[in-house]
Amino acid sequence: MELGSHVAAVHAGVGEPAALLGEFRRSVVLVPVVGGRLLTASHGGIRWVFAFSDESALARFAASGEDDPGREQRRPSPTTG
């Protein structure tokens, strides 16, 4: 099963989180970088790194305007690479 299918299954409540994690670790993901830093967001007190499973998903995100690092809840991470 590919990464996207694992994600969909977990979101539907029928997938295996451990299998999703394993597939994520084996997959190539695209991570946006703004000003030389990883693009991150805080949610529930946790800092999340944005990662996309393919170029079309990254393009949809970029086209949505959600990648604006000036937004309060999203900013480049102080950690790189």
Side-chain angles (χ1 to χ4, degrees), residues 40-48 50 72-75:
T40 64
S42 289
H43 181 73
I46 299 171
R47 171 80 48 210
W48 296 89
F50 286 79
E72 184 175 318
Q73 73 274 26
R74 291 184 169 87
R75 63 177 190 247

Side-chain angles (χ1 to χ4, degrees), residues 2-27:
E2 68 173 24
L3 181 59
S5 298
H6 280 287
V7 171
V10 169
H11 279 261
V14 296
E16 294 292 327
L20 170 61
L21 179 59
E23 188 60 29
F24 179 80
R25 288 178 173 163
R26 288 184 293 277
S27 297

Side-chain angles (χ1 to χ4, degrees), residues 18 32 47 53 57 59 80:
R47 171 80 48 210
S53 56
T80 57

Side-chain angles (χ1 to χ4, degrees), residues 27-80:
S27 297
V28 173
V29 295
L30 304 170
V31 179
V33 176
V34 176
R37 296 180 174 191
L38 301 176
L39 188 62
T40 64
S42 289
H43 181 73
I46 299 171
R47 171 80 48 210
W48 296 89
V49 175
F50 286 79
F52 298 88
S53 56
D54 57 46
E55 289 182 23
S56 63
L58 177 57
R60 286 191 305 274
F61 173 75
S64 73
E66 294 290 316
D67 63 339
D68 177 5
R71 292 180 59 133
E72 184 175 318
Q73 73 274 26
R74 291 184 169 87
R75 63 177 190 247
S77 168
T79 335
T80 57

